[in-house]
Every structure is written in C-alpha cells, then in structure tokens.
Amino acid sequence: MPADEHRVVCHIDELLAARGMTLTELAERVGLSVVNLSILKNNRAKAVRFTTLTAICDALECTPGELFTLEGTREGT
C-alpha cells in the first residue's frame, strides 16, 4: 500500500442519518465549513485535529470508534 493511502473509514453519513441531522447542521455546530466536513466524510482527509474530533463527537454524541473504523488487513498479516 502506498504511504499516502490509509484504511481509516469515516462514518459521518451513517451517524448523521441516525440522528436526523444534515452535514450543514453539523458544520454549524462544530464550527467547520461544509467543504472541510465533506473532505472528512468522503475519506479524503489526511489528518484530523483532536479538537475537531472532539467537537464532532460532541455534536453527534458518539465516540471516535463510532465515527471511524479501520478497514481491511495489512498485506502479509
């Protein structure tokens, strides 16, 4: 796997649907742009600040483990 690829998958869509919330509403609650949240939602983010992660988890009433999962297995393991 190339160094710039990752196996972390974001589940904002599922959490928003379960809470009847829109991405725009989440962006307002968290204080981020919809564009930046979309980058995260579409698994194109390269990093997430802990303050952002905390704010998203607070707004969605979830844990980081509900927001992100690690998919697939490493080659050779």
Side-chain angles (χ1 to χ4, degrees):
M1 172 176 1
D4 62 343
E5 290 186 24
H6 61 79
R7 298 179 293 128
V8 176
V9 178
C10 184
H11 301 286
I12 285 180
D13 273 343
E14 294 91 339
L15 293 167
L16 287 173
R19 286 148 180 81
M21 189 184 301
T22 65
L23 192 64
T24 301
E25 184 179 351
L26 179 62
E28 290 170 0
R29 289 185 185 196
V30 174
L32 290 175
S33 70
V34 173
V35 171
N36 283 337
L37 277 178
S38 291
I39 290 169
L40 182 62
K41 176 181 78 93
N42 293 316
N43 299 305
R44 293 191 319 257
K46 297 198 185 287
V48 180
R49 292 177 190 222
F50 284 131
T51 53
T52 300
L53 179 59
T54 300
I56 292 170
C57 287
D58 285 347
L60 292 175
E61 297 180 350
C62 69
T63 66
E66 293 169 301
L67 185 59
F68 296 107
T69 56
L70 187 60
E71 302 257 324
T73 59
R74 293 181 189 200
E75 292 180 8
T77 61

